[in-house]
Every structure is written in C-alpha cells, then in structure tokens.
Amino acid sequence: ATLGIFLRDVLLRLLNLVIILAYFFELISFSYFVSLYIFINGILVLILVLSLIKRKEFNLKPNFIFISRELRNSMLNVGLFGIIAGLSGLAIANIDKIMINLDKELGLDYTGIYSIAFFYGAIILKPSLVVKKISSVLIADAWKNNDTKIINKIYKKSSINLFIIGLYLFLGIWCNIHNIFKILPPEYEQGKYVVLFISLANLVEMLAGVSGPIMGNSRHYKFLAFFMIILVFLLIITNYFLIPLIGITGAALASFISYCIFVIMRHVFLLKRYNFRPLNKNHLYVFCIGILIFLTTEFLIPVIDNYFFDILMRGIFITVIFGIGIISFKVSEDINDKFNNFKNFLFNKKRLK
C-alpha cells in the first residue's frame, strides 16, 4: 500500500510543484506545462504497472468466479455506504463556505477570506491523511483475523503520535499568527480566529487517531456513515446560528463544535463496542508541553519586525523545546525509538571516523 500512497501523495505533489514553479518563473510555456503534467501522471502509472509485473500480480483479464451471492451483497452494501460517506464528506468540506456565501451581510468577499484562513488551519490535518491510508490496510487485515489487540495498539499509537505532530504544527501556526497576517493583505486579518478554530477542530481530529479507518473497516462500517450524516446536520445547524452572530469566525467555531461531537461519538462507540482506549496520561503531558511553549512564545519572546527572522526564531524555539519535552517525557515509544536509532547511528559514525 505504501508505494501507491508515496507516488500519489508525495512524489506526484513534488513533481507538480516543480513544474508549477517552472511555469511561474516563465521557464516553460503553458502548453509545455500541460504536457509535463500529463507525462508525470503517466510515469506514476508506469511505475505501478512495473511494480505489479515484478510481483507477478499484473493481470488485465477479468475474473468474477470468486464473487458469490453473499460477497456480491456485501460489496453492494459497502459500496452504497461508501457513497453515502463520500457525499457526506463532500458536503462537510463545503457547507461552511456555502452558508457564508449565502449570508446577505457577508457574501463572496468574506467567503474568500474564510477560504484562505481555512487552508492555514487545514495544514494540521495533512500528516494524518497519509497515516490513515497506510494504517487502513493493516487495520483491514487485522479485522479479517479478528485481531483486536493489534487494532487497539495501532489506535493508541496513532492517537499519541498524530496528536504530537498536530500540536507541533498548531504551535507553529498560532505562535506565528501575527506573521501570517503580515504576509497577507490587511483585510484577511478578519480570518485570525478562523485559523484558530479550524486548527483546533483538526487537532481534535488528530487526537482521534485512526478511529475512522477502524470503524470504516469493521463490520460496523454503517455507523461511520451514520455519524457523518449527523456531522452534516450539526454543521448546518451550528453554522445557521453562529454565522449571523459572529460572521466567518462563527463558521469556524461551528466546525470546531461539530467535529468535537463527531470525534466523541466515534470514541464512545469504539469504547463501548470494543473497549478500545487510546487516551492516557501521555496525552496530558503533551498538552502541558504545548501550553508551556505557547505561554513562553506569547509573553516572553519579543516580536522581531522582520517577519522572516521572527518566524525562524520562533520556529527554532518551538522545535527545540517541543522536541526535548517529547523525548524527555517518553510520551511516544515510536518517536523515542527513532531518536535513539538516530543517536546510535550518529555516535557509531563518529567512532568509525
């Protein structure tokens, strides 16, 4: 599973960034850009095909013999609820923007401000997308073998590790919020608390780890679709009341409230049904480290007029102190293992010299 995910979510985006920059700096024409874009996608397909051929799994001949009536009905059910979940996800991603645009006092201009501010908050969620795709394969295999111990282990590890990554990114964004709005035009400063609440909503989602893939790959996958439909209605109701009260900040607050309820529903379901408990004292340690860093950057570190150096200084401080705190308290077994491996590699290399 990792090859396809790496090609699509890492390599494809890097190559696209290269050709976009080449076009931006007028090194290539637009027609050449389009040709390169098609070529890049074609190369990725070719890599996948060659990988399948190497593993002797490449086959273009359809075979439906193995599809029994029971399997067919299961596939139709999974497909139907997958479509419902997919449509719900599409609605969830656009409800706030649509309702801002429909508001007579806000309209298209504020929708644009909200959308830009929303993207800064959405950065926090990006690492979890790759983790969920990879872990989904392992979780599906574990469900097939009814290995709930492995699933619970993945759930716990994903929760603490994604929370650490999410909080680190949150601190990087919110401790530099004044610098972000120095880069953007002055009117975008109205989106300051949009960044805050969307960031918090995504941080809560990171805290939930891979609860979504666990439910989605279990025999209770219908409940995930049901919860997503509830989330759609929650977003509509909260946006309806909060947008007229506090504008685009209300839309972001609506997302935060709705996602908190959505995450709690998933957590309670997995707790009651399977006794999965992802949260422990380590999450509290991580939270306290985050609070300490925020208070220090907010009240003790002076603001430098040059936003580039201010971002650099705050970024170095957050990275060093956050890293020391996470490793010292040993809140994540995976992170400490990686750190120890790197330390051993570094010292062994010095000894060899």
Side-chain angles (χ1 to χ4, degrees):
T2 53
L3 176 62
I5 293 165
F6 170 77
L7 291 175
R8 186 177 63 182
D9 292 340
V10 180
L11 185 60
L12 178 62
R13 294 185 182 189
L14 286 174
L15 293 174
N16 280 337
L17 178 62
V18 171
I19 62 172
I20 287 167
L21 290 173
Y23 176 69
F24 178 78
F25 289 110
E26 299 181 353
L27 299 174
I28 58 174
S29 65
F30 180 71
S31 60
Y32 197 60
F33 167 81
V34 173
S35 299
L36 283 173
Y37 180 80
I38 295 167
F39 177 75
I40 287 168
N41 281 274
I43 287 293
L44 299 187
V45 173
L46 182 62
I47 293 171
L48 284 173
V49 169
L50 291 174
S51 173
L52 289 170
I53 292 171
K54 186 179 178 182
R55 297 202 305 262
K56 297 180 180 179
E57 295 176 358
F58 184 73
N59 186 10
L60 296 176
K61 186 179 179 181
N63 180 11
F64 303 108
I65 295 171
F66 70 94
I67 302 178
S68 62
R69 180 178 291 183
E70 185 182 353
L71 180 58
R72 183 188 63 195
N73 292 336
S74 296
M75 290 169 69
L76 287 171
N77 273 327
V78 171
L80 175 62
F81 282 93
I83 290 169
I84 292 170
L87 290 173
S88 299
L90 190 64
I92 290 162
N94 293 285
I95 283 170
D96 45 4
K97 299 176 189 69
I98 291 169
M99 293 187 73
I100 290 169
N101 192 39
L102 291 174
D103 190 278
K104 292 179 182 178
E105 294 184 10
L106 299 176
L108 198 58
D109 290 345
Y110 281 90
T111 306
I113 293 170
Y114 179 86
S115 297
I116 296 298
F118 181 94
F119 287 135
Y120 281 97
I123 291 170
I124 290 171
L125 198 60
K126 294 303 178 183
S128 73
L129 302 179
V130 176
V131 172
K132 286 177 180 179
K133 285 175 185 176
I134 295 171
S135 62
S136 186
V137 180
L138 302 173
I139 291 165
D141 191 57
W143 275 127
K144 187 181 74 172
N145 299 319
N146 201 29
D147 194 344
T148 53
K149 287 184 179 179
I150 287 291
I151 295 168
N152 195 27
K153 186 179 179 181
I154 294 171
Y155 191 15
K156 286 179 178 178
K157 284 193 171 189
S158 67
S159 177
I160 188 65
N161 288 328
L162 288 177
F163 183 54
I164 289 168
I165 295 167
L167 187 58
Y168 172 68
L169 292 173
F170 174 79
L171 290 168
I173 291 168
W174 191 246
C175 293
N176 282 292
I177 193 69
H178 58 289
N179 291 317
I180 289 172
F181 290 105
K182 282 180 183 177
I183 299 168
L184 295 171
E187 59 268 22
Y188 282 91
E189 197 163 354
Q190 298 171 82
K192 178 179 179 179
Y193 290 102
V194 172
V195 177
L196 175 63
F197 288 120
I198 295 299
S199 297
L200 288 173
N202 288 324
L203 187 58
V204 169
E205 182 65 30
M206 294 282 272
L207 180 63
V210 293
S211 59
I214 289 173
M215 287 186 67
N217 286 290
S218 73
R219 59 192 176 90
H220 301 292
Y221 60 87
K222 294 177 184 178
F223 282 92
L224 182 60
F226 178 64
F227 289 164
M228 290 187 75
I229 293 169
I230 293 175
L231 177 58
V232 171
F233 283 105
L234 282 170
L235 284 167
I236 291 170
I237 293 166
T238 51
N239 274 287
Y240 179 80
F241 286 105
L242 290 173
I243 288 174
L245 286 175
I246 44 177
I248 57 175
T249 302
L253 179 58
S255 292
F256 174 61
I257 294 168
S258 301
Y259 269 96
C260 283
I261 296 170
F262 179 53
V263 166
I264 290 168
M265 285 191 296
R266 279 155 40 196
H267 174 77
V268 171
F269 178 86
L270 292 173
L271 178 64
K272 296 292 184 183
R273 185 73 64 168
Y274 300 106
N275 199 32
F276 290 163
R277 300 172 184 272
L279 304 179
N280 53 50
K281 62 181 181 181
N282 289 336
H283 290 80
L284 184 61
Y285 293 155
V286 175
F287 178 75
C288 290
I289 292 167
I291 291 291
L292 178 65
I293 290 172
F294 169 72
L295 293 175
T296 305
T297 55
E298 185 72 13
F299 298 108
L300 298 180
I301 296 180
V303 176
I304 300 172
D305 290 336
N306 186 309
Y307 67 82
F308 176 80
F309 289 108
D310 195 51
I311 291 172
L312 185 64
M313 182 186 69
R314 290 170 189 275
I316 292 170
F317 175 80
I318 292 167
T319 301
V320 171
I321 302 302
F322 193 74
I324 291 171
I326 295 300
I327 291 165
S328 299
F329 282 93
K330 298 180 179 178
V331 292
S332 168
E333 181 185 333
D334 295 311
I335 291 175
N336 275 81
D337 284 345
K338 294 290 182 187
F339 175 75
N340 290 331
N341 290 339
F342 175 73
K343 188 171 65 173
N344 292 334
F345 169 77
L346 206 61
F347 284 119
N348 287 338
K349 201 171 181 182
K350 284 182 179 179
R351 284 172 193 164
L352 288 172
K353 287 182 178 179

